[in-house]
Every structure is written in C-alpha cells, then in structure tokens.
Amino acid sequence: MSSKEDQSLARSRVSESANNEAYPEGGLRAWLVVFGAWCAMVPSMGLLNSLGVLHAWTSTHQLQGYSESSIGWIYGAYGFFLYFAGAQAGPIFDAYGPAYVIIPGSIGTVAALIWFSFSEEYYQILLSFSVLGGLSACTLFTPAISCVGHWFNVRRGYATGIACTAGGLGGVIFPLIILFAAPKIGFPWAIRIIALLCAVFCTLACLLMKTRLPRNKKAGASIDFKALSDIKYASTTAAVFLVEFAVFIPITYIASYGIHVGVNDTLSYALIVFLNLGAIPGRFLPGLLADRLGRFNVMVLTSLLCAVLTFTLWLKAAANTAAIIAYAVLFGFWSGAAISLTPVCISQVCATEDYGKRTGTAFTIVSVGTLTGIPIAGAIQQHNAGHYGGLIVFAGALYLAAAAAFAVSRGVCAGWALKTPF
C-alpha cells in the first residue's frame, strides 16, 4: 500500500473513531432528518423509478415515430444529470450545508415538471424533464444521502434504506396518477398533479434536513479524480458504476416489454407499480441485513440474484403475465440495494467529512453508465427487429459483472475471508 493510501486510511480511521461515540444512531432529531431525506427522495428517486411508465406513454404519444434508442437518450439523460451534478452538489453540501442545494433543487423540480407538462416536441421533453429535472433531482438526492450519514454510522445502511423507500413509494404513486388521471384529464394535468405533490414533499425536506458534523470549508465544487488513486475507493466506484449501469434497463423497459408481448396497456403500465411495490421493502430490508452481514457482501448477493432473475424469469417469460409480474416484483425487491446501499458502500471507504464530495465524485462517474445504458439497450432491441431477447441478456450480463466487481472490491477492501462482515 502506498504512503498516500496509508494516510487516507489513517485519516478515515481517526475521523470515524473521533465521531463514533458522538453518532446519535437514533433519537427524534436523527429520525426527523431521515424523514426529511425521505421527503427529498420522493420527487427525485420517485421520478427516476417512474421512467418505465413515462417511456411507455411518450413512445406511444408525444414521441410516436421516434426510435427506441432516440427515446432512450431522454430517460438515460435524466439519470445522467441526476448523478453527474453530484460533483458540484456534494462539495457545496460539505461546505455550506443542505439548504444551499435543497432549496434550488426543490424549485427546479417543480418548475421542470410544469414545463414538462407543456412539452410536445422531443427537444422540449429533453430540456424540461431530462436536463432541468435531472439537475434538480441531484440537488435533492445528494444532500439527502449525505445528511443521513451525519447522524448514523453503525445503523447507516438501515437508516439510508428507510430514506430510500421514498423512491419506491414515488414510483408507485406517480405511475398510478398517470395511469388513472391521464386518460381522463390528460397527460399534462397528470404531470401537474405530480408537481403539486413534489412541492409538498420538497417543502418538508427543506424544513427537516439538518447536518451535525463540522462543515468542510475547503471543499471545492469539482471532480476529485485524485481520490481514485485509493484502490479501495476506485474499486468501489467501478462496482457501483456497473450496478447502476444495469439497474435502469429493466426499470425503463419492463412496461414497454409488456405492451410488446401483448399484455394490455393498463397492466403494462402497472408493471412499474408492481416493481416499485417490491422495491419499497427492497430498500430497507437489505440495508438492515447489510449492517450485520456487511454492505459489500449484500451487494454481491443482490446483484447476483438480479442476474439470475433476469436470465431465468424475464428472458423466459414471453407473454406469460404471471411470470412478468413475478419478475417485476422480485426484481424490484432485490434491485433496491443498488439505490440504497451503493452510497453506504462509498461511505465505508472514505472519511466522513469527505462523504459529500466522494459520493458526488463517484456518482458523476456513474452518470456515464446511466446516460448510455438505456439508449444502448434500446439500440440492441432495435437491432433485433424490436425483440427484447438481446436487451434482456445485456441487462443480465451487466448484473453478473456488477456482482463480480463488488466481490473483487470487497476482497481489496477487507480481504478474502468469506466470513468477514464487510
């Protein structure tokens, strides 16, 4: 190990030992922060988990006639901007606290949805939903994750998982609004209803999210590539990159798949609801397990199970409605850790005072995968004459690669003993 790595590890250990006894690990103030983070994630991650129904709706309405790959760039771009701006939002959070990022993000999220509700052309949807919406979502998601890390250490996986259940709940509520309201009052008004709900949740987030640890005034709004010289941080970032590359492909295409194989439109849109119903317990139960068995260990297990489900259930489902629903629910549960545990894994290999910047840097790198994964999958489907077999194999292979990457990273960080809880 190099001297730089020794210094980084020593700094992390000193920081953790100094603050370990001071972490509340619970109490009213800490859980109010978790609730505030939960409120911030309903708009940001809820919309991210609703990409499938938005993709299915716009591809048959506003964007009818565009290729799957072209439409995929819109929804890949939302995830890209959500993660990419973390390099700026994270250090600002470290230096000045949550209000400087949450308040602009709240305003931007509501404005993006209202603009999106008026959008009819490709470029309008791209600018409103993907660019403004994605950037605003980042300034809600990044401080939400980081705030929880200020109040929990031993129970961080559990607390973060509870906050991340908001994404699953938003992914249930928002598609249901579109499913039932859009045919009656129109898609634009359905989106405006969602905007109103987001305004309520964002207001609560602004009031409740607080930090506890001293602020790092030296934080700079930049990508900390020097951090990648630490092999533990670099290997963790690579593993997170692969799992985030994989997770949004089923989320985005499962509803369109249902329409393709002949499932009626209502049930096809409802597949996103089933997926997110599975994701709600899938956000916090793996987190509870991870605090005991190890965060990296659980990421290896969940990534492997997602690969197995994709290859054995989705690939073989064809038009079997029961099999498609079963896959949506089971995948929703086991894929939940990709959202809730990945930032906790990053926190485990860096000092707490650098958590915002390191998380932001990692997710900026991850954003390249979220940008390209969805349109690449769409291009594969288009190349296969509209059939989904190649797309499904692509998603499953990415999950296998992610499981292998987390196993390697775990070995690098904590050794190769199988019983080590890391």
Side-chain angles (χ1 to χ4, degrees):
M1 182 180 291
S2 69
S3 60
K4 287 184 179 180
E5 291 170 357
D6 288 332
Q7 292 171 5
S8 176
L9 181 59
R11 182 165 164 245
S12 177
R13 285 175 175 170
V14 168
S15 173
E16 291 301 317
S17 62
N19 290 304
N20 226 17
E21 295 183 0
Y23 279 91
E25 301 293 348
L28 179 61
R29 177 68 266 181
W31 287 113
L32 283 175
V33 170
V34 172
F35 179 59
W38 185 91
C39 291
M41 288 197 207
V42 172
S44 56
M45 304 310 291
L47 287 171
L48 188 67
N49 288 337
S50 303
L51 293 183
V53 71
L54 292 171
H55 178 279
W57 181 279
T58 54
S59 64
T60 55
H61 293 81
Q62 296 97 314
L63 302 178
Q64 189 175 13
Y66 285 88
S67 68
E68 287 292 332
S69 181
S70 297
I71 298 171
W73 282 109
I74 287 180
Y75 299 107
Y78 179 88
F80 169 78
F81 284 109
L82 189 155
Y83 289 137
F84 177 77
Q88 287 71 43
I92 293 171
F93 168 87
D94 288 338
Y96 301 106
Y100 283 82
V101 282
I102 297 173
I103 294 174
S106 300
I107 297 170
T109 296
V110 175
L113 286 169
I114 293 174
W115 185 8
F116 178 42
S117 72
F118 288 100
S119 300
E120 293 289 340
E121 302 294 333
Y122 184 96
Y123 78 93
Q124 293 172 335
I125 297 174
L126 178 64
L127 291 175
S128 61
F129 181 78
S130 302
V131 180
L132 181 57
L135 290 172
S136 301
C138 175
T139 57
L140 296 175
F141 169 71
T142 301
I145 290 292
S146 299
C147 271
V148 174
H150 276 243
W151 297 84
F152 294 85
N153 183 30
V154 175
R155 303 177 72 193
R156 186 176 293 172
Y158 177 58
T160 304
I162 289 176
C164 287
T165 61
L169 184 64
V172 171
I173 295 173
F174 298 158
L176 284 175
I177 291 173
I178 294 171
L179 181 62
F180 291 105
K184 296 180 180 178
I185 61 175
F187 181 78
W189 278 107
I191 296 299
R192 288 164 202 155
I193 293 172
I194 293 173
L196 178 60
L197 288 175
C198 289
V200 173
F201 284 114
C202 286
T203 300
L204 290 172
C206 292
L207 294 173
L208 295 174
M209 286 174 60
K210 306 291 181 183
T211 54
R212 181 187 65 88
L213 299 175
R215 291 174 183 172
N216 182 7
K217 292 293 185 179
K218 295 181 180 180
S222 62
I223 299 174
D224 186 14
F225 281 123
K226 291 182 180 179
L228 295 173
S229 62
D230 179 358
I231 186 62
K232 295 181 178 181
Y233 176 71
S235 63
T236 302
T237 300
V240 174
F241 176 91
L242 285 169
V243 78
E244 299 289 350
F245 202 167
V247 68
F248 295 115
I249 296 174
I251 290 174
T252 303
Y253 285 102
I254 188 70
S256 298
Y257 172 84
I259 294 172
H260 173 76
V261 297
V263 178
N264 70 74
D265 288 359
T266 300
L267 185 55
S268 294
Y269 293 144
L271 289 172
I272 298 299
V273 176
F274 290 126
L275 189 150
N276 284 297
L277 284 171
I280 293 174
R283 293 288 195 269
F284 73 89
L285 288 179
L288 180 62
L289 188 65
D291 287 337
R292 299 183 180 184
L293 301 182
R295 288 82 183 249
F296 282 74
N297 292 342
V298 171
M299 284 306 305
V300 173
L301 174 64
T302 56
S303 299
L304 184 60
L305 285 172
C306 285
V308 170
L309 287 170
T310 300
F311 281 126
T312 60
L313 199 53
W314 193 16
L315 187 60
K316 301 295 183 180
N320 187 324
T321 303
I324 299 171
I325 293 174
Y327 174 77
V329 174
L330 292 172
F331 174 82
F333 179 83
W334 291 111
S335 66
I339 304 298
S340 62
L341 281 186
T342 48
V344 181
C345 289
I346 295 169
S347 75
Q348 203 163 329
V349 294
C350 70
T352 303
E353 61 266 27
D354 292 331
Y355 186 28
K357 187 169 186 176
R358 290 292 181 92
T359 303
T361 299
F363 280 110
T364 298
I365 296 169
V366 166
S367 68
V368 178
T370 61
L371 173 66
T372 56
I374 296 173
I376 288 174
I380 292 172
Q381 184 221 5
Q382 190 176 344
H383 179 74
N384 291 336
H387 297 292
Y388 280 76
L391 180 151
I392 295 169
V393 170
F394 177 59
L398 285 174
Y399 262 114
L400 282 179
F406 272 108
V408 170
S409 182
R410 176 203 177 281
V412 168
C413 295
W416 302 98
L418 294 178
K419 294 184 180 181
T420 302
F422 187 84

